[in-house]
Amino acid sequence: MNVVPVCDSGRMAVETVRQAYRFALNPGSAQERMLWSHAGASRFAWNWGLARCKERHAAERRWYSAAELHRLWNVAKKADPALAWWSENSKCAYQEAFRDLDRALGEFIKSKKGERKGKRVGFPKVKKRGRCKDSFRFSTGAICCAGASVTLPRLGTIATHESTRKLTRRLETGAARILSATVSRTAQRWFVSFTVEVERVIPARHARPGSAVGVDLGVRALLTGVDDGGTVIVVPGPKALRSSLRKLRRAGRAHSRKKPGSSNRRRDAGRLARIHARVANVRADALRKATTYLAARYETVVAEDLNVTGMLTNRRLARAVADQGFGQVRQMLGYKTGWNRGRLLLAGRWYPSSKTCSACGWRKPSLTLAERVFNCGACGLVMDRDHNAARNLLNLAASGAESLNACGGRLRPVPDGQRPAKQEPGTAPAGQTGTVAGQPAATGQELTHAH
């Protein structure tokens, strides 16, 4: 991220960040056939390159790079009459597929060597029509947007379901530059996502300096917050999945009863996909609104470093946890606090925010999920457990007792003299609590309670 100060009495700055702008396409019948053709070309290039890599690895124990695959493709497409159809699609559909394959092989090697955090990545598989995501990407050529339409190489001008004026204005003023355009299909609808380098005007300091809020995530309420003024913020959350379970069950049963390969089964598959897409959209909308409000109103936001992957292994809680989208809350707060010149602080994964009394500091030995009210055995405090946890998170940031754990060690109580172990796979390192198009956005710090 490049930071360039601009004139305004030193109060404002311009940061160049990468953002994504996504629009739903409304193509004609001929344009839709071209979209299908490009998606098929990208899928064919992936499979063709994967076969070449397997052949070379069997003989030489090494892969082809993306550039080498492209050179081999340029020779093969002219020599093989069966590949005469290649010119019907943009060259980017093939080039970007080779680059994606090269990246997938690289991630597989890193995961195999233990150099990649998170879930282990397997060897790239052959893409089959109807069983993989239909998508392709443009990185060169005429890529622009105007009004309610976008212009893409070889596809021409395609209408959109919504206006593109926000991105168009930035392109016209030179405040944005399109790097690539990815076209994908979700729930029987085509979308285009522009990766854009945008100059964002960011204040030198937060609009409300010194303000802070502690945020506790839960399955009943999406988040419960307590700010430095004592105001309690409760965002109930839409629970989009739970409210759509009846429709999903009916649509799933109808789909499973249809003959495989029939038009009726494809119709019901589209209906099922549209329900899932709406669930995801409703959830994302609620998360974006809640995180935007918190980042704009409070300079310091304190949240928990939850092990979401581990929570999803609990068969009793997995559906409720997934329905709330805990992982997205942390990601969105990460870059939105940076845009507002705030900061996101992450309480340690082992910090007992729900078991600790926010008034006297007494710690309850055990607290089941069924106990929604916290009762302090020392001072007699009676308070909602989520409200109590949010107050503890706020106190953790405001007090001088905690220390910043820059190395990212686990916050598990250990005997004196022992050093904390490294973070578990899947935990974001310091400085990478949020991303914008894969780039670090905001500085996240992990808080530990002094013992």
Side-chain angles (χ1 to χ4, degrees):
M1 181 184 299
N2 301 322
V3 181
V4 183
V6 297
C7 296
D8 187 10
S9 303
R11 292 176 296 177
M12 305 294 289
V14 174
E15 290 190 1
T16 302
V17 300
R18 288 190 178 184
Q19 277 185 238
Y21 290 82
R22 189 168 182 254
F23 305 102
L25 297 178
N26 185 21
S29 56
Q31 291 174 330
E32 188 169 6
R33 286 194 295 271
M34 288 295 295
L35 292 173
W36 281 109
S37 178
H38 277 73
S42 177
R43 183 172 60 249
F44 178 87
W46 169 285
N47 295 336
W48 184 89
L50 183 60
R52 303 290 84 75
C53 286
K54 288 181 178 179
E55 293 173 359
R56 185 176 188 183
H57 189 267
E60 306 176 20
R61 307 296 296 176
R62 54 179 300 188
W63 319 109
Y64 283 116
S65 65
E68 291 172 335
L69 285 174
H70 190 225
R71 286 194 292 268
L72 290 176
W73 170 254
N74 287 337
V75 175
K77 69 184 182 182
K78 298 176 181 178
D80 190 355
L83 300 177
W85 51 265
W86 72 268
S87 58
E88 299 175 2
N89 307 294
S90 172
K91 63 179 182 180
C92 290
Y94 310 101
Q95 292 176 350
E96 297 302 323
F98 296 146
R99 291 172 182 172
D100 290 342
L101 176 60
D102 187 24
R103 191 179 302 111
L105 289 171
E107 293 298 321
F108 165 70
I109 295 299
K110 290 181 181 179
S111 180
K112 190 175 181 180
K113 294 181 178 179
E115 300 174 358
R116 183 184 185 277
K117 293 184 178 181
K119 187 178 180 180
R120 185 168 181 176
V121 177
F123 187 79
K125 297 181 180 179
V126 173
K127 292 185 177 182
K128 297 181 180 180
R129 181 180 179 181
R131 294 184 176 273
C132 67
K133 186 175 182 63
D134 295 312
S135 66
F136 55 94
R137 185 166 58 251
F138 298 106
S139 56
T140 60
I143 305 175
C144 61
C145 59
S149 64
V150 297
T151 302
L152 301 173
R154 298 299 298 272
L155 299 175
T157 301
I158 305 177
T160 60
H161 286 279
E162 54 195 321
S163 176
T164 64
R165 62 181 180 273
K166 185 175 182 180
L167 176 57
T168 302
R169 285 198 300 265
R170 293 191 172 186
L171 293 173
E172 292 174 349
T173 59
R177 182 171 65 94
I178 296 178
L179 302 179
S180 65
T182 302
V183 181
S184 60
R185 179 176 172 269
T186 301
Q188 295 184 331
R189 176 171 288 182
W190 291 94
F191 295 86
V192 59
S193 179
F194 295 108
T195 301
V196 186
E197 199 173 63
V198 181
E199 294 179 357
R200 293 187 62 92
V201 179
I202 297 181
R205 45 185 316 194
H206 197 272
R208 300 177 68 239
S211 57
V213 63
V215 178
D216 177 72
L217 303 178
V219 294
R220 292 203 172 182
L222 173 60
L223 60 87
T224 303
V226 177
D227 62 13
D228 48 356
T231 304
V232 180
I233 305 167
V234 179
V235 179
K239 293 184 174 61
L241 178 61
R242 190 176 71 175
S243 61
S244 301
L245 276 179
R246 185 169 182 270
K247 290 183 179 179
L248 286 171
R249 290 193 182 105
R250 291 173 64 90
R253 285 196 297 265
H255 174 259
S256 64
R257 290 168 180 166
K258 301 300 185 295
K259 183 179 179 180
S262 65
S263 58
N264 287 337
R265 188 178 179 90
R266 287 193 296 270
R267 180 200 61 197
D268 287 344
R271 179 190 174 198
L272 186 61
R274 285 192 295 271
I275 298 175
H276 277 293
R278 186 181 183 280
V279 168
N281 291 337
V282 170
R283 180 188 301 120
D285 180 70
L287 293 177
R288 290 192 183 102
K289 290 177 179 177
T291 53
T292 297
Y293 172 81
L294 292 174
R297 186 168 178 81
Y298 301 102
E299 182 182 23
T300 302
V301 180
V302 188
E304 296 175 291
D305 179 23
L306 298 176
N307 182 15
V308 181
T309 303
M311 296 171 70
L312 292 176
T313 59
N314 187 333
R315 65 183 181 88
R316 298 181 182 273
L317 288 176
R319 178 182 292 169
V321 171
D323 199 9
Q324 297 290 56
F326 290 163
Q328 295 182 53
V329 172
R330 171 174 164 175
Q331 180 188 15
M332 291 180 183
L333 283 175
Y335 65 81
K336 289 182 180 182
T337 50
W339 287 353
N340 290 275
R341 275 291 183 261
R343 57 175 182 166
L344 171 64
L345 303 181
L346 297 178
R349 183 168 294 180
W350 302 101
Y351 177 66
S353 59
S354 298
K355 298 180 181 180
T356 304
C357 177
S358 58
C360 66
W362 177 78
R363 179 175 175 181
K364 196 168 186 177
S366 62
L367 184 68
T368 64
L369 289 174
E371 299 179 58
R372 305 311 305 172
V373 178
F374 179 85
N375 294 277
C376 180
C379 66
L381 175 70
V382 179
M383 183 180 293
D384 178 81
R385 64 176 290 160
D386 294 337
H387 183 185
N388 177 70
R391 287 183 59 181
N392 281 323
L393 294 172
L394 178 63
N395 295 336
L396 184 62
S399 67
E402 72 278 353
S403 61
L404 295 179
N405 186 7
C407 68
R410 293 182 186 174
L411 305 181
R412 181 177 299 174
V414 294
D416 294 339
Q418 289 190 11
R419 298 179 62 184
K422 292 297 181 181
Q423 288 181 334
E424 297 178 356
T427 303
Q432 295 184 11
T433 59
T435 60
V436 180
Q439 299 297 325
T443 301
Q445 295 169 315
E446 191 174 21
L447 302 180
T448 64
H449 199 72
H451 297 284

